[in-house]
Amino acid sequence: MVGVPELPEVETLRQDLSKEVSGRRIKAVAVANGRSVRRHASAKHFRSRLEGRSIKSVSRLGKYLLLHLDNADTLVVHLGMSGQLLRVKGSKEPKPKHTHVVITFTQGGELRYVDPRTFGEMFVSTPPETFKAPPASAGTFSTSTGGGMGAGAVSRRQVPELSHLGFDPIEDMMSWDRFAVLLRQHKAGLKALLMDQQFVAGIGNVYSDEILFAAGLRFDRLSDSLSVIETRRLYRAMVETLAEAIKHRGSTLADEQYRDLFGEAGDYQGSHQVYDREGQPCRRCRSPIVRVRAGGRSTYFCEHCQI
DNA sequence: ACGCCCGCCTGTAAGC
DNA sequence: TGCTTACAGGCGGGCG
C-alpha cells in the first residue's frame, strides 16, 4: 500500500549517506527527468551547481535531506511519496526504472535518485547573505516555533526554501512547558497537527498514528484540551516512537517502496501497533483496530486504548 | 484568514 | 480473463 519515507526513514538515509558520500567530489550529474529538478530553470543549471563540488556533510530537517557542499550551497533532497536514494559502487549495475538523477563521484561509484511518482525533488539551495556572513556577536535568530538552537535551527537558516518548517522532533529538543504552549497556540486535531510540517517537521501518516497510540490519545482530540500528563505523554511518545523507528532503520511496508541507501528494507513495520492493522487485535487490549478516514487520509487507532 | 480539497503522478489491486 | 477504476499520499496552491 504505502511506503512513504518519513523522519525515521530519512534519518536512516542520512546516517548512511554521512558515511558513504562525505568528502566525495561530484564528477558528473545526469538528469533523465527534469521534473525531479523542477525548481531549477533547467537541468543544465542544476548540473552546473553541483559538478566539481564536494560534499562536506549530511544533515536532515524533517523529511528533507541536506547535503552540504564545499561552497556553502546545499543539495536538498526530498523523497516525496516514492523516492529512493541508492548508493551504487559501479555504474554497470542495471538502472531501475524511473532513475531520474545520477550523481557520479570522482573516486568511482554513484548516487542514484529513483522516484516513480515524481512527487519528490532535488534542488541546490544558496544560503542568504545574512547566513553567509554571520555576525560574530549575536545569535539573535529566531525560528517560527522556537526550538532552541539545534541542528534543525541551523539548517532552517541555511536553506531559505525550508524556512516554513516547524521544529525537528529529534534535533530540536524542548521542554514540556514549551511543547504545551505550542499545542495551545496551534489549536487543531492532534493527528492533523502532528502531520502539519509547519508545526513539527518529519511526521506523516504512518508515524502520526503510531505516536498517538503510544500516547493513548485519539486522532481527533483537540490540541488545547490536553492535561499536563497527556501533554508529557504525547511529547514522550513522539520522541520515543521516532527514536525507536530509527533504531530499526525505518518501516518498509507491503509495497516494499522504502529502501535504504543500499537497497535494504527497514525493520520497524513489525513493531507497528495500529498502522495498516485494521480489524486486527490491539496488541495491548485485543479489541480490533479501527480504520477511519480523517482529513482525507486513512487513520488507524484503538477505540479502547486511545481517548 | 484559515481549513479543506484538488492536482500532481504511477503502481497495485479490487471490481465488473 | 482483461480492462477500467479506485486508491495510496506529501505538498503546494486555490477556493470557499
Side-chain angles (χ1 to χ4, degrees), chain A residues 66-111:
Chain A
L66 309 174
L67 284 71
H68 303 285
L69 307 178
D70 55 1
N71 64 345
D73 281 1
T74 304
L75 170 60
V76 182
V77 183
H78 188 266
L79 300 173
M81 299 282 308
S82 59
Q84 294 180 349
L85 216 47
L86 298 167
R87 174 90 172 97
V88 178
K89 292 293 180 189
S91 59
K92 288 174 183 170
E93 291 191 37
K95 278 191 185 61
K97 205 175 169 183
H98 306 297
T99 301
H100 301 321
V101 179
V102 177
I103 295 173
T104 307
F105 299 107
T106 53
Q107 295 300 314
E110 58 189 43
L111 195 58

Side-chain angles (χ1 to χ4, degrees), chain A residues 3-306:
Chain A
V4 181
E6 300 182 34
L7 189 151
E9 290 76 31
V10 177
E11 174 61 19
T12 301
L13 276 170
R14 188 204 66 75
Q15 291 171 5
D16 291 342
L17 273 172
S18 186
K19 294 188 192 111
E20 290 290 320
V21 306
S22 290
R24 295 207 174 262
R25 186 169 297 277
I26 296 169
K27 183 167 73 178
V29 177
V31 178
N33 184 344
R35 183 171 151 75
S36 295
V37 296
R38 55 191 173 274
R39 283 199 202 217
H40 290 269
S42 66
K44 186 176 286 184
H45 182 254
F46 174 74
R47 281 178 49 198
S48 67
R49 301 283 297 279
L50 290 174
E51 288 176 350
R53 300 265 69 88
S54 56
I55 297 167
K56 281 200 307 186
S57 60
V58 186
S59 67
R60 179 192 57 72
L61 179 54
K63 303 173 193 173
Y64 293 81
L65 277 169
L66 309 174
L67 284 71
H68 303 285
L69 307 178
D70 55 1
N71 64 345
D73 281 1
T74 304
L75 170 60
V76 182
V77 183
H78 188 266
L79 300 173
M81 299 282 308
S82 59
Q84 294 180 349
L85 216 47
L86 298 167
R87 174 90 172 97
V88 178
K89 292 293 180 189
S91 59
K92 288 174 183 170
E93 291 191 37
K95 278 191 185 61
K97 205 175 169 183
H98 306 297
T99 301
H100 301 321
V101 179
V102 177
I103 295 173
T104 307
F105 299 107
T106 53
Q107 295 300 314
E110 58 189 43
L111 195 58
R112 294 173 176 176
Y113 177 70
V114 183
D115 185 12
R117 282 171 250 189
T118 67
F119 284 11
E121 62 169 336
M122 301 176 90
F123 64 92
V124 182
S125 172
T126 299
E129 290 301 324
T130 51
F131 184 83
K132 280 180 188 167
S137 52
T140 51
F141 295 99
S142 64
T143 61
S144 56
T145 49
M149 289 298 284
V154 172
S155 302
R156 212 175 348 261
R157 283 157 39 207
Q158 195 168 358
V159 182
E161 292 89 343
L162 303 184
S163 61
H164 64 285
L165 292 177
F167 71 96
D168 186 286
I170 296 296
E171 296 290 339
D172 303 325
M173 290 294 181
M174 70 175 72
S175 68
W176 288 323
D177 283 346
R178 176 81 186 127
F179 187 59
V181 169
L182 293 181
L183 285 179
R184 270 182 262 119
Q185 280 176 351
H186 296 74
K187 183 183 175 181
L190 287 181
K191 170 150 173 154
L193 190 59
L194 287 178
M195 290 182 62
D196 180 354
Q197 303 300 300
Q198 300 186 51
F199 174 70
V200 54
I203 299 170
N205 205 38
V206 174
Y207 291 102
S208 60
D209 284 3
E210 292 300 318
I211 288 166
L212 288 172
F213 177 84
L217 296 167
R218 274 178 63 106
F219 67 97
D220 53 0
R221 270 292 290 281
L222 289 178
S223 58
D224 65 350
S225 75
L226 302 192
S227 68
V228 173
I229 296 293
E230 288 173 328
T231 300
R232 293 182 180 188
R233 280 217 314 263
L234 179 58
Y235 187 78
R236 271 182 70 103
M238 178 176 69
V239 173
E240 289 181 4
T241 300
L242 295 172
E244 196 62 20
I246 292 167
K247 274 189 201 163
H248 288 263
R249 301 184 60 80
S251 306
T252 298
L253 294 160
D255 66 352
E256 307 267 307
Q257 194 55 249
Y258 168 70
R259 293 279 151 171
D260 69 17
L261 195 58
F262 313 105
E264 301 293 325
D267 193 29
Y268 189 66
Q269 61 281 359
S271 302
H272 286 181
Q273 301 294 308
V274 288
Y275 188 81
D276 208 16
R277 295 195 68 241
E278 181 184 14
Q280 296 178 48
C282 170
R283 299 193 202 279
R284 193 181 286 162
C285 77
R286 313 311 293 170
S287 66
I289 298 302
V290 176
R291 173 188 180 172
V292 296
R293 250 183 122 67
R297 300 168 198 286
S298 285
T299 299
Y300 302 87
F301 69 106
C302 173
E303 288 180 304
H304 182 254
C305 294
Q306 295 173 256

